[in-house]
Amino acid sequence: MKPSKGLLMVISGPSGAGKGTVCKELNKNNEFWISVSATTRSPRLGELNEINYYFLTKDEFKQRIKNKDFLEYAEVYGNYYGTPKSKVEEMLNKGIDVILEIDIQGALKVKECYPEGVFIFILPPSMGELKKRIINRKSETPESFMTRFKSAYKEINYVSKYNYAVVNDVVENAVNKIKSIIVAEKCRVDRIKDSILDSKEGLIHEQFYD
Amino acid sequence: MKPSKGLLMVISGPSGAGKGTVCKELNKNNEFWISVSATTRSPRLGELNEINYYFLTKDEFKQRIKNKDFLEYAEVYGNYYGTPKSKVEEMLNKGIDVILEIDIQGALKVKECYPEGVFIFILPPSMGELKKRIINRKSETPESFMTRFKSAYKEINYVSKYNYAVVNDVVENAVNKIKSIIVAEKCRVDRIKDSILDSKEGLIHEQFYD
């Protein structure tokens, strides 16, 4: 069969579901390419250009928006954040699987321009566990905890826009499920039909006449 | 999440692709229920009722056709063969995953009445290998070999009606891919959306007020 394009896997979910931890564990053997976002905010201590973010000026960012070089972007508190398209496409064309770890709004925008992506929603094992994780993450005030929790609760409704939902009860289990999803997606007839039928045509003459 | 129905996995493919071997290896730990077909032909030496087939009289078979108790059936050289529906549905309702190992015509009929099934097409690694397997299977005459080979070659076109295609190069690899497909299908949002949203609703009151 012909070498095929890489898969674009979009890993997303509500705040507190643990998508960052899952992505890190998923790629511990560097089997995938994890997309690096672009931003106009200043680097924090220890953050490196091209590793943590592509740090751009606002003019550079706006020029890239004009050039349609973002799969998605958003303005948050006066700074821009976005997913550069050219690098993602370069990797996919090389046959390398790409992971985007991204929030729900971003994921839905990516889906508009890249519907053949694999959209995976990471779920907390229960709302109780989500509550604990939000509390543990930051020293939240009761008000800000309630805002984050309600927001995460609402975000779970977006699961219906995704292809897969994976409960992050134990990170290793969640990662194994995502690995299975990747194997399965590579067997999907929608993706590989043409190469199956091509390779069949290429072989028939040889087989009838040798 | 609510306990869910079992998956109906339909494993099919051209003659010589090795679907029988794959199914046997897939179920070596008895994790699944492999459907037993019904037939009106006489038992061969060593064949047991309810193990190899449900052996029925023609009248019994025709009555079951009338009662719509077959997912699919066909008449081959004067004998009927079919997949009994009630037992399959009983297992699925208990949450047990069911495997149907079935020919392509049968699989397409099952798809009409059970589109939510998982349809997996087993492919030979190459037409050359398919040729070898057909030759090795029986002492074929050149004419009957050619008929079987051409038929298998044509059948590969039906891959486009299936959800997944798995190349049976090494049985263990093919089985691992099918196991991944099963894991992935159980994470598909189409299948589990309702139970995710139900369990979320059930938890919210407790979480806000404890």
Side-chain angles (χ1 to χ4, degrees), chain A residues 1 119 121 123 125-129 131 145-146 149-150 152-157 159-167 176-177 179-190 192-193 196-197 199-204 206-210, chain B residues 1 119 121 123 125-129 131 145-146 149-150 152-157 159-167 176-177 179-190 192-193 196-197 199-204 206-210:
Chain A
M1 283 187 235
F119 292 80
F121 196 92
L123 281 166
S126 69
M127 296 310 293
E129 180 59 28
K131 183 179 166 179
F145 158 73
M146 210 55 161
F149 183 76
K150 279 187 178 168
Y153 182 78
K154 275 187 202 155
E155 283 182 325
I156 291 177
N157 289 322
V159 69
S160 58
K161 306 279 187 191
Y162 286 69
N163 304 115
Y164 298 96
V166 170
V167 176
N176 286 337
K177 283 180 182 174
K179 285 184 176 174
S180 289
I181 290 168
I182 295 167
V183 171
E185 282 286 330
K186 291 183 177 189
C187 295
R188 281 194 80 81
V189 167
D190 297 344
I192 60 175
K193 186 174 56 185
I196 294 169
L197 297 178
S199 71
K200 175 189 159 216
E201 292 305 326
L203 279 158
I204 188 66
E206 160 198 351
Q207 295 313 323
F208 271 122
Y209 299 110
D210 70 357
Chain B
M1 283 187 235
F119 292 80
F121 196 92
L123 282 166
S126 69
M127 297 309 293
E129 179 60 28
K131 184 179 165 180
F145 158 72
M146 210 56 160
F149 183 75
K150 280 188 179 170
Y153 183 76
K154 276 187 202 155
E155 282 182 325
I156 291 179
N157 290 322
V159 70
S160 58
K161 307 279 187 191
Y162 285 70
N163 304 114
Y164 297 97
V166 170
V167 176
N176 286 338
K177 283 180 182 173
K179 286 184 176 173
S180 289
I181 290 168
I182 295 167
V183 170
E185 282 287 330
K186 291 184 177 187
C187 295
R188 281 192 79 82
V189 167
D190 297 344
I192 60 175
K193 186 173 57 185
I196 293 169
L197 297 178
S199 72
K200 176 189 160 217
E201 291 306 325
L203 280 157
I204 188 65
E206 159 196 352
Q207 294 313 323
F208 271 122
Y209 301 110
D210 69 358

Side-chain angles (χ1 to χ4, degrees), chain B residues 72-102:
Chain B
E72 58 81 34
Y73 70 92
E75 200 184 341
V76 184
Y77 300 123
N79 278 309
Y80 286 100
Y81 294 82
T83 305
K85 185 155 70 179
S86 50
K87 192 77 184 169
V88 168
E89 292 193 336
E90 183 192 322
M91 292 298 172
L92 294 176
N93 287 331
K94 279 184 187 166
I96 296 167
D97 300 324
V98 170
I99 294 173
L100 298 188
E101 183 212 325
I102 199 172

Side-chain angles (χ1 to χ4, degrees), chain B residues 34-72:
Chain B
I34 298 195
S35 168
V36 176
S37 297
T39 183
T40 59
R41 78 156 168 76
S42 308
R44 293 184 190 139
L45 195 66
E47 282 185 341
L48 297 170
N49 190 35
E50 299 190 17
I51 302 292
N52 302 94
Y53 282 97
Y54 295 103
F55 292 102
L56 302 178
T57 65
K58 281 197 182 170
D59 283 345
E60 285 169 334
F61 203 104
K62 285 178 182 170
Q63 187 57 49
R64 291 208 187 181
I65 294 175
K66 270 190 198 155
N67 297 347
K68 299 188 192 292
D69 188 33
F70 289 110
L71 282 173
E72 58 81 34

Side-chain angles (χ1 to χ4, degrees), chain A residues 25-192:
Chain A
E25 181 65 20
L26 179 64
N27 202 34
K28 73 173 177 192
N29 298 324
N30 290 309
E31 293 168 67
F32 309 102
W33 184 76
I34 298 196
S35 169
V36 176
S37 297
T39 182
T40 59
R41 78 155 168 76
S42 307
R44 292 183 191 138
L45 195 65
E47 282 185 341
L48 297 170
N49 190 37
E50 298 189 20
I51 301 293
N52 302 94
Y53 282 97
Y54 295 103
F55 292 102
L56 302 178
T57 65
K58 280 196 182 171
D59 282 346
E60 285 169 333
F61 203 104
K62 284 179 182 170
Q63 188 56 48
R64 292 209 187 182
I65 294 174
K66 271 191 197 155
N67 298 346
K68 299 187 191 292
D69 189 31
F70 289 110
L71 282 173
E72 57 80 34
Y73 69 92
E75 200 184 341
V76 185
Y77 299 123
N79 278 309
Y80 287 99
Y81 295 82
T83 306
K85 185 155 69 178
S86 49
K87 193 77 182 168
V88 168
E89 293 193 337
E90 183 192 322
M91 293 298 173
L92 294 176
N93 287 331
K94 281 184 186 165
I96 295 167
D97 300 324
V98 171
I99 294 173
L100 298 188
E101 183 213 324
I102 198 173
D103 69 10
I104 291 169
Q105 296 312 314
L108 298 182
K109 285 184 198 162
V110 172
K111 201 178 173 194
E112 282 171 24
C113 59
Y114 214 94
E116 65 271 43
V118 182
F119 292 80
I120 302 175
F121 196 92
I122 305 294
L123 281 166
S126 69
M127 296 310 293
E129 180 59 28
L130 181 68
K131 183 179 166 179
K132 270 192 221 155
R133 291 183 191 176
I134 292 176
I135 290 174
N136 288 341
R137 177 178 287 198
K138 290 185 184 173
S139 50
E140 304 268 355
T141 62
E143 292 72 24
S144 74
F145 158 73
M146 210 55 161
T147 308
R148 284 168 67 87
F149 183 76
K150 279 187 178 168
S151 155
Y153 182 78
K154 275 187 202 155
E155 283 182 325
I156 291 177
N157 289 322
Y158 286 100
V159 69
S160 58
K161 306 279 187 191
Y162 286 69
N163 304 115
Y164 298 96
V166 170
V167 176
N168 180 22
D169 44 4
V170 176
V171 174
E172 197 189 346
N173 293 350
V175 166
N176 286 337
K177 283 180 182 174
I178 295 173
K179 285 184 176 174
S180 289
I181 290 168
I182 295 167
V183 171
E185 282 286 330
K186 291 183 177 189
C187 295
R188 281 194 80 81
V189 167
D190 297 344
R191 294 189 191 279
I192 60 175

